[in-house]
Amino acid sequence: MLLEVEDLNVYYGAIHALQGVSFSVDQGEIVTLIGANGAGKSTTLRTISGLLRPRRGAVRFRGEEITMTPAEQIVRLGIGQVPEGRRIFAPLTVRENLEMGAFTRKDPAEIAQSMERVFASFPRLKERINQLGGTLSGGEQQMLATARGLMSRPTLLLLDEPSMGLSPIMVEEIFRIIAEINLQGTSILLVEQNALMALQIAHRAYVLETGRIVLQGTAKELRESSKVKEAYLGLPKEALAAEGEAPVSPE
């Protein structure tokens, strides 16, 4: 087991944002968390990466508990996060943004090698290496945010809403790159409102509703679930009337 999340309970003041969330990610997997706005998806990622502290529960990475580990140390252990809204350093160049992603590393030669590897996945960024991040298009900024996350050489990459605000063509490109990154050996935990795209590339999936996991299964099982089709894939009840429910597991 690469990542194990057990009984996470997280509060924002009196608001119980995560209510006993448990799930896992195995080595080599893409696992996706889908759900509506406010379901707790981003809160889950922020807790895993050490930016939030749970009131109860545990996060284990490679068998080691990291629940109270500082965020910087979690990056050093091999967990990288690409935040919602991209959050690149707009006044810095593409190169400088990528170098910021390698802040935990010391060997200049290894950092240069990593930069060439991300340029192989994101050739558009190489063309714009000296361009300021804030002048890139939305899709290019998402590429830069993802590439920056890869510069720490993570074993597990946390992706928070990578398709947000992008055109359909760019969404297709971003998800193609995510699948490619996974094939190169990086495990991925993907938070995404675009359930259709997420379930096309994921191995397994969990559905979060108001801080609880209500469904889980393989991505194929959730794609075939009438509940998921109606609530997250935009299919009307009439179109689902003749369909049987897929054998997904309730929490």
Side-chain angles (χ1 to χ4, degrees), residues 22-23 204-207 213-218 221-222 247-251:
S22 299
F23 64 91
R204 292 188 300 111
Y206 298 83
V207 177
I213 291 176
V214 296
L215 288 175
Q216 60 181 292
T218 66
E221 288 170 347
L222 266 68
V248 294
S249 303
E251 177 66 6

Side-chain angles (χ1 to χ4, degrees), residues 17 67 157:
T67 314
L157 185 64

